Amino acid sequence: MNGFSKFGFILATLGSSVGLGHIWRFPYMAGEMGGSAFVLLFLILALCIGTSLLIADMIIGNKGQSDVIHCFANLDSSPKRHWGFVGIILLGGPLILSFYAVVLGQILYYLFWVSFSLPNDMASSQAILYALKTDKISYQILGFSVVLGLTGLIVSLGVKEGIERLNVVLMPLLFIIFIGLLVYAAFQPAFWQAVHFLFDFKYQAINANVVVAAMGQMCFSLSLGVGIIITYAASTNQKQNLLESALYIVLCGILISLIAGAMIFTFVYEYGVEVAEGTGLVFKALPIAFSKMGFAGVIISVLFFLGLAFAGITSTISLLEPSVMYFVQKHNKERKTTTWLIVLAIYIVGLILIFSLYKDSAVNLSVFGKALFVWVDAASSSVIMPFGALLSVIFIGYVVGEERIRLMTKSFLSDRMFRLWFFIIRYVAPLVVLIAWIGVVLESS
């Protein structure tokens, strides 16, 4: 199999996890949860639990050496190999992609249109986003089509020529853009206020909501539960040091989160925008801050949304690849034809989701008063991803067998490290994922 190089695997896996989770979700969650307490808990959870979860998913793929469904079946120690059913989680990727590509299309709209006509107050900013979602359906469809077209093109080229080559280019560019924006932010008077908000830890600020939110962010930001890590790990060398790879991915993900947070909150404080804007922080609050910078704000807006677009496209290809790999490997289908057929199916679903937001068709495409787009979004973050992550750790912790796992990890985990890691996987990680799952469900209900 023409798989990833060592460096390509790390970049591709990092690209799948950076996405909107680190750049879009992390800052607004930090804003809602009061800053430093949330940040500290997220850092601890990501390094301890997140790294352990990544290694578990990587083992399933790297040692299973197949598509998601057959990786579970290949490692199942029971005679009937019932655990192959867990591979059904690969259906989550196309479903998430059907709405994720819509959101990324909105980012392209902000990149190419809003950046050059920035709103200067909250009413105008809210009106732009509302009009885009409910009225400007042609822009929504155009952006969505471009995203899915690029995603299909890259995946159709294969692991080495498509996915790895794209990530080798885009991931360094992403870091260059955001480090440049951070340097600019560092010269603003409000920079140290942003640093204080993110890093001046106050233990009294920790409560149950902050703990659950940090757990949820850790799970959401690592691309767990939909077969992405398993698929990428199956496409890399079996001698890959999975501990080293997982640490690179987690640390780089943390770095881009902190860079994004410090940069965004500098602009928020500098120009008097509300910190706790929730999901509207990027689409509503930041454009107002950019507008107050004059011409420099236009440049910064373009660079920011360009970086966000780069992060998003590396995630869309990772959402598509697991299902493509399944049909190519196990049904001997031609990669290009398979890719475009799956893209077509996703495109049809995505169009339905777009029309569920459109004012003239929303009534007919809603369930219990909520648009189908909202239901699919909630199902992905509240059900599919945490359920898949929970099944993976249970599979590694209780099904494969401790001695088999010990043999699989002996090349990169010492005996003492293995005992600690396996304890986390068997007892701590399932509890953390379960609590995060309950928290997300309660939040979205």
Side-chain angles (χ1 to χ4, degrees), residues 24-66:
W24 173 69
R25 196 175 191 272
F26 175 81
Y28 91 69
M29 288 301 298
E32 284 190 336
M33 292 295 131
S36 58
F38 168 84
V39 172
L40 182 65
L41 287 174
F42 168 70
L43 295 180
I44 294 171
L45 286 167
L47 286 169
C48 299
I49 311 301
T51 303
S52 299
L53 288 168
L54 272 179
I55 292 172
D57 261 16
M58 288 178 181
I59 289 171
I60 295 172
N62 196 242
K63 305 308 176 185
Q65 283 293 296
S66 188

Side-chain angles (χ1 to χ4, degrees), residues 205-220:
I206 296 177
N207 55 41
N209 290 335
V210 174
V211 173
V212 172
M215 290 178 177
Q217 175 62 24
M218 182 271 296
C219 293
F220 188 89

Side-chain angles (χ1 to χ4, degrees), residues 108-305:
L108 294 182
Y109 177 77
Y110 272 72
L111 170 62
F112 291 108
W113 278 277
V114 178
S115 291
F116 299 96
S117 183
L118 292 164
N120 53 21
D121 58 64
M122 185 55 71
S124 301
S125 188
Q126 289 175 332
I128 289 172
L129 184 58
Y130 180 78
L132 174 62
K133 289 183 175 181
T134 63
D135 190 31
K136 295 185 176 181
I137 193 167
S138 59
Y139 289 95
Q140 287 257 57
I141 294 174
L142 176 61
F144 172 66
S145 302
V146 170
V147 170
L148 266 190
L150 284 173
T151 302
L153 177 62
I154 295 158
V155 172
S156 69
L157 294 174
V159 170
K160 193 79 175 177
E161 296 300 317
I163 299 173
E164 178 170 332
R165 182 170 292 183
L166 177 85
N167 280 283
V168 166
V169 173
L170 290 192
M171 292 311 298
L173 281 176
L174 173 67
F175 274 92
I176 290 171
I177 288 172
F178 277 89
I179 288 172
L181 291 174
L182 179 66
V183 170
Y184 177 86
F187 287 93
Q188 307 304 308
F191 177 72
W192 290 109
Q193 189 177 357
V195 171
H196 175 82
F197 176 73
L198 291 172
F199 299 110
D200 186 12
F201 176 62
K202 296 181 177 63
Y203 71 89
Q204 64 269 25
I206 296 177
N207 55 41
N209 290 335
V210 174
V211 173
V212 172
M215 290 178 177
Q217 175 62 24
M218 182 271 296
C219 293
F220 188 89
S221 65
L222 292 175
S223 297
L224 299 168
V226 288
I228 294 171
I229 308 301
I230 295 171
T231 298
Y232 279 3
S235 298
T236 192
N237 194 305
Q238 283 192 286
K239 294 182 179 179
Q240 185 97 356
N241 186 321
L242 301 184
L243 172 61
E244 182 182 88
S245 299
L247 285 172
Y248 273 125
I249 292 159
V250 170
L251 289 172
C252 289
I254 287 173
L255 180 61
I256 195 68
S257 289
L258 296 179
I259 289 173
M263 177 261 295
I264 287 171
F265 286 114
T266 295
F267 298 148
V268 163
Y269 283 122
E270 184 72 18
Y271 297 100
V273 180
E274 179 60 43
V275 173
E277 265 298 324
T279 56
L281 182 62
V282 168
F283 284 133
K284 295 178 184 178
L286 275 183
I288 300 171
F290 294 151
S291 73
K292 296 180 180 181
M293 301 178 192
F295 181 70
V298 174
I299 297 173
I300 291 172
S301 180
V302 168
L303 289 174
F304 175 78
F305 285 110

